[in-house]
Amino acid sequence: MNILMLSDVYFPRVNGVSTSIATFRRALAEQGHRVCLVAPDYGYPSDDETDIIRIPARRLPFDPEDRLMRTGAILALEDRLREQQFDLLHIQTPFAAHRTGMQLARRLGLTAVETYHTYFEEYLYHYIPLLPRQLLRAAARYFTRAQCNRLAAVVVPSQAMLDVLRGYGVQRPISIIPTGLEPQSYGNYSGQRFREQHGIAPDRPVMVHVGRVAHEKNIGFLLEVVAAVAAVLPHALLVIAGEGPARRQLRRQVADMGLQDNVMFIDYLPRGPALWECYSCGDVFVFASATETQGLVLLEALALGIPVVSTARLGTTDILAAGRGALVADATVSDFAAKVCAVLGRTGLRERLAQEARDYAREWSAGKMAQRLTEFYAHLAPARASVRLPGRRKTAPAG
């Protein structure tokens, strides 16, 4: 198949959406499909620019990590894209990519689908604090419902997000297709090199958190957990790997709580051996976000044999429901800290969880998920043939 994707974010901008797009593009290519991606220009390229069309974009004053693509530049691609005879248009984000994507779908006579990656209802107030939280929630629900109901179908990464969209009033077909793990995620790493590089003693009990250091990740709660764990295991350490807008605030919280010796901040690590070593330096991976639509970092930790202690909320429920390789904690400091201490203090439990984790993670391979996405595409793409009209195809529906 020949798929056109549009997204408001992609590498070198690091987040879950970028990772999901890259993972699916590689897996689909390995299965013989082509995916052309239209994404913002950040001023410097990602590691792989194959079949990527970069669009001029401007910085956002309230979120300097992201860019807003120039919609005119996207629409100017119409003739170029028509020549490539795409089978389907897959939108990945609900901003400029959605608006212009729907216009392109009409003009090119393509079926339009979209992946709903982000739980905006519990997300926006962190970044637009001047507006009432209830107003932002209502706006997120309204726009999500309106956008999704204009599509041919929607993809979500978890059952929880399907339930959320149905609750909003989304009536279009919805398929659950999570992001899978690429083969390199299943390596064997001891974490010894990472510990040596960062001066962490080989026998020191270590918790690890990998991900964007953002307000919605609930890392402040994990700092409270660290304080409780340190009361039992004084030398316990939490490694926080990543960058993001909450980092300065979290550093202040660490200082205020007197946890400077128990928390280590690590800069962003590119996906590859350095990141896998970071995961593997930990005796336990900790996670407490309440807004994840999937929680890919949990799968990455499990694939590397790192036991997980996490709350099961929203999208992470699908991953943790099997109870393999992980302990599910309540959203309370006492219960979460008790489960962390159990993993850190009991070698037998840690080894059992590690083996379960590796076996379970293999069920989430990128190849399997790409095959499910291909089947989803194949069900929708044949409709394109019946709506192709000459010229600009103004009467052709977008799905």
Side-chain angles (χ1 to χ4, degrees), residues 71-317:
T71 57
I74 301 174
L75 295 175
L77 297 170
E78 179 184 343
D79 291 339
R80 175 181 171 185
L81 297 175
R82 180 180 286 112
E83 291 174 355
Q84 298 183 53
Q85 291 290 296
F86 290 103
D87 295 305
L88 182 138
L89 172 63
H90 191 157
I91 302 166
Q92 295 285 342
T93 47
F95 306 110
H98 178 90
R99 295 194 305 275
T100 54
M102 296 304 294
Q103 293 180 63
L104 282 175
R106 287 191 294 271
R107 295 180 181 186
L108 301 176
L110 294 177
T111 297
V113 303
E114 187 163 338
T115 295
Y116 194 86
H117 287 282
T118 306
Y119 188 34
F120 288 103
E121 178 182 340
E122 292 295 338
Y123 181 95
L124 292 178
Y125 72 91
H126 290 297
Y127 299 91
I128 314 176
L130 298 180
L131 295 179
R133 185 169 178 175
Q134 288 301 114
L135 176 63
L136 292 171
R137 280 179 168 173
R141 294 173 185 176
Y142 171 81
F143 284 109
T144 297
R145 179 173 62 251
Q147 288 188 339
C148 290
N149 280 334
R150 295 178 63 207
L151 299 157
V154 181
V155 175
V156 293
S158 62
Q159 179 66 47
M161 287 314 303
L162 187 154
D163 295 340
V164 165
L165 295 189
R166 290 292 185 226
Y168 289 172
V170 175
Q171 299 175 350
R172 306 306 293 164
I174 304 175
S175 294
I176 302 171
I177 308 175
T179 303
L181 292 172
E182 297 183 273
Q184 60 267 32
S185 301
Y186 301 98
N188 288 304
Y189 298 90
S190 68
Q192 178 181 349
R193 182 183 307 174
F194 184 92
R195 286 188 178 232
E196 291 174 351
Q197 290 174 340
H198 296 279
I200 303 172
D203 58 347
R204 187 171 188 183
V206 174
M207 300 163 272
V208 172
H209 181 279
V210 172
R212 188 165 180 261
V213 184
H215 302 284
E216 67 273 10
K217 299 298 183 181
N218 205 22
I219 301 172
F221 169 81
L222 293 179
L223 296 182
E224 297 179 36
V225 170
V226 171
V229 171
V232 179
L233 300 168
H235 298 296
L237 175 69
L238 171 63
V239 173
I240 300 174
E243 299 174 354
R247 186 160 172 157
R248 181 179 300 178
Q249 177 181 320
L250 291 170
R251 283 188 177 277
R252 287 198 300 267
Q253 184 178 344
V254 167
D256 292 343
M257 297 177 70
L259 294 174
Q260 294 93 328
D261 294 335
N262 300 99
V263 178
M264 177 182 293
F265 288 89
I266 302 296
D267 291 340
Y268 160 75
L269 295 170
R271 299 178 65 76
L275 180 59
W276 311 143
E277 286 281 354
C278 177
Y279 273 107
S280 300
C281 87
D283 300 293
V284 60
F285 185 86
V286 292
F287 199 71
S289 173
T291 63
E292 298 301 301
T293 57
Q294 179 178 345
L296 185 60
V297 290
L298 297 179
L299 288 175
E300 291 177 341
L302 293 170
L304 291 164
I306 311 304
V308 167
V309 174
S310 174
T311 53
R313 300 160 77 178
L314 203 65
T316 58
T317 303

